[in-house]
Amino acid sequence: MRQNFILFIFGIIIAFSSCRTDFDTVASSGDLKFSKDTVYLDTVFKNIGSSTYQLKVYNRSKNDISIPIVQLKKGLNSKYRMTVDGMSGNQGKIFKDVTLLAKDSLYIFIETTADITDADPADFLYTDEIQFDSGANLQEVALVTLIQDAVFLYPNQNPDGTKEKIQIDDKDVDGFYLEENELTFTNQKPYVIYGYAGVPENKTVTFEAGTRVHFHANSGLYVGNKASLQINGTVSTTEKLENEVVFEGDRLESIYSDIPGQWKSVIFEKGSANHSINHLTLKNAFTGLEFRSPSNTIEIKNSQIYNCAEYGILAQNAHIIGENMVINYSGIASLSCVYGGNYNFTHCTFNNNWSNSSHFAVNLSNRLSGAVPETNPLTNAVFNNCIIYGSSTNEFNLEKSTNAAFVYQLNNCLLKFGSTTNADYQFKTDTEHYNNIILNENPKYYNVSRNQLNIDKTSSAFAKGNPAYIIPTDILGITRTSPPDLGAYQSKDFPK
């Protein structure tokens, strides 16, 4: 009986202890430690919310402490907002009596949504501080965000509250047609596009050198029937690509710099015409450039496409002349030419280091599932002085139907392909389709994971090109030597 009574008393003590909500704490003495003294929230466009950034706060002492106040210095007027150990406080701005146990830490998560008018007009920085305590015990952590002004293009709102639509593939999608005064994109400010921006019939959209275009999620550019696109980038002299035309997503934080599928595509509809692309850098789309049987020849020069969830270029019965092109990291194929067409690529680097093995650097086909008729002639597909490489065993794929022509030829190319008895892939003996093929030798790119596909003199592509196909300058405007290197880059010495 006595034993049961002792257990009863012990249980009551435990119950009361577990229900206590207060702690024996001491006031903070201003000795908090932080994972960083400044939180940089990277660059954001005006009025577009940032990613969430974290700050860790440490109590190194042996005492449980109470921080009387954790707040943003600008108080309720601050454009920052935060949570402190899961608590939202007063509008995410002010938190009182925050407990931090001995030898423990807490997380603060910070976000911002600010306008360009909130930033310092001298440097476009929006700043604030997180304050811990006050008076003699005050400690602060700085917050810094660069707010970038931009031209925003988006669908109008209809009277019934729905968004403006355009038709793509017989479906209504959020989008709008560019007005006459919107058809020339300049380098004065970056552009942010919501939905599909359509180019009207018989109009040309022009992108001047240095233009930056950022596409929101599920957005893109639609060049419709009888419409045209001209990209007039030029050679840049620095790594900032100051004269390049750049298409990418609208999340500017560094963690988004290489994430595929952030926006949709640039679509060239059947019947569109007179396209020219020079010095374009396109990143992080689902499909970079999608050609749907444009009316005449498209020239693509000195351009690079990276990190596309499906295709870098998907060309359907198109006529493309490509020079000094680089494509890398595509979920299905870096270059896929389907349903026939006519293609000529010289000094191009088609690489694919996508993480799975079911991809190609180059895919050629004269058929299209579901089309009527299903096949269409591939009248020509020529690759001169090119590199076709990647992380898969076979980076070159042919899908041939005997119901239509299939004409192709690779001259002086470095190619990755495993051994096979298939008659279509006899690279050393089939001289009708393959001449001077370097098979399965590493081109030794400078840094493939960062899309730096430059080569040096140790590369298997060094001085292996045929001078008969030479393009005088490479993608960076550097004069090629003779015999030229394969691919889009003239070799150079890399920094040690």
Side-chain angles (χ1 to χ4, degrees), residues 212 234-244 279 476:
R212 301 294 189 260
T234 59
V235 174
S236 300
T237 58
T238 73
E239 293 182 355
K240 294 181 179 180
L241 301 177
E242 67 278 2
N243 296 321
E244 195 88 355
H279 285 285
L476 301 177

Side-chain angles (χ1 to χ4, degrees), residues 171-394:
K171 297 178 182 177
D172 288 334
V173 300
D174 289 346
F176 58 97
Y177 281 98
L178 295 166
E179 301 288 343
E180 190 72 37
N181 63 350
E182 296 171 333
L183 289 170
T184 299
F185 287 66
T186 72
N187 61 9
Q188 298 304 302
K189 291 182 181 180
Y191 295 80
V192 181
I193 293 177
Y194 287 77
Y196 269 93
V199 184
E201 190 172 306
N202 297 316
K203 298 294 183 181
T204 299
V205 63
T206 302
F207 298 86
E208 296 180 353
T211 297
R212 301 294 189 260
V213 184
H214 301 266
F215 295 91
H216 193 63
N218 298 315
S219 300
L221 186 64
Y222 180 72
V223 188
N225 182 43
K226 297 182 181 179
S228 302
L229 174 142
Q230 300 286 315
I231 292 179
N232 300 326
T234 59
V235 174
S236 300
T237 58
T238 73
E239 293 182 355
K240 294 181 179 180
L241 301 177
E242 67 278 2
N243 296 321
E244 195 88 355
V245 174
V246 178
F247 289 177
E248 59 183 326
D250 66 347
R251 301 312 302 261
L252 304 184
E253 300 93 331
S254 57
I255 59 173
Y256 288 94
S257 61
D258 297 320
I259 296 178
Q262 294 180 46
W263 57 284
K264 286 292 189 179
S265 181
V266 180
I267 298 174
F268 300 81
E269 192 54 88
K270 183 177 182 179
S272 64
N274 303 319
H275 310 305
S276 177
I277 298 172
N278 197 9
H279 285 285
L280 168 69
T281 294
L282 187 155
K283 303 188 296 182
N284 306 334
F286 271 91
T287 292
L289 304 176
E290 183 175 350
F291 298 98
R292 301 174 172 182
S293 305
S295 294
N296 51 20
T297 304
I298 307 121
E299 291 188 351
I300 307 175
K301 298 181 179 181
N302 308 305
S303 295
Q304 45 197 337
I305 300 174
Y306 302 125
N307 306 321
C308 291
E310 295 180 347
Y311 300 94
I313 292 179
L314 176 59
Q316 175 181 315
N317 186 28
H319 185 184
I320 297 175
I321 296 175
E323 299 175 359
N324 290 335
M325 293 169 51
V326 181
I327 309 179
N328 189 30
Y329 283 115
S330 305
I332 300 176
S334 290
L335 171 70
S336 186
C337 302
V338 300
Y339 202 48
N342 190 319
Y343 307 93
N344 193 301
F345 298 104
T346 305
H347 279 294
C348 295
T349 300
F350 299 115
N351 197 76
N352 202 347
N353 267 58
W354 193 261
S355 56
N356 66 45
S357 59
S358 58
H359 65 253
F360 300 106
V362 171
N363 175 64
L364 300 178
S365 173
N366 62 352
R367 61 190 184 195
L368 188 68
S369 178
V372 181
E374 187 181 38
T375 59
N376 196 58
L378 179 65
T379 58
N380 207 33
V382 176
F383 297 80
N384 299 319
N385 292 352
C386 292
I387 297 174
I388 301 172
Y389 201 78
S391 57
S392 185
T393 303
N394 300 328

Side-chain angles (χ1 to χ4, degrees), residues 2-13:
R2 175 183 173 86
Q3 185 179 11
N4 290 339
F5 177 75
I6 292 172
L7 290 173
F8 174 73
I9 296 297
F10 185 64
I12 291 176
I13 293 172

Side-chain angles (χ1 to χ4, degrees), residues 167-172:
Q167 273 212 338
I168 301 178
D169 298 331
D170 297 323
K171 297 178 182 177
D172 288 334

Side-chain angles (χ1 to χ4, degrees), residues 103 159 326 332 451 475:
K103 303 294 184 181
V326 181
I332 300 176
N451 292 315
I475 189 172

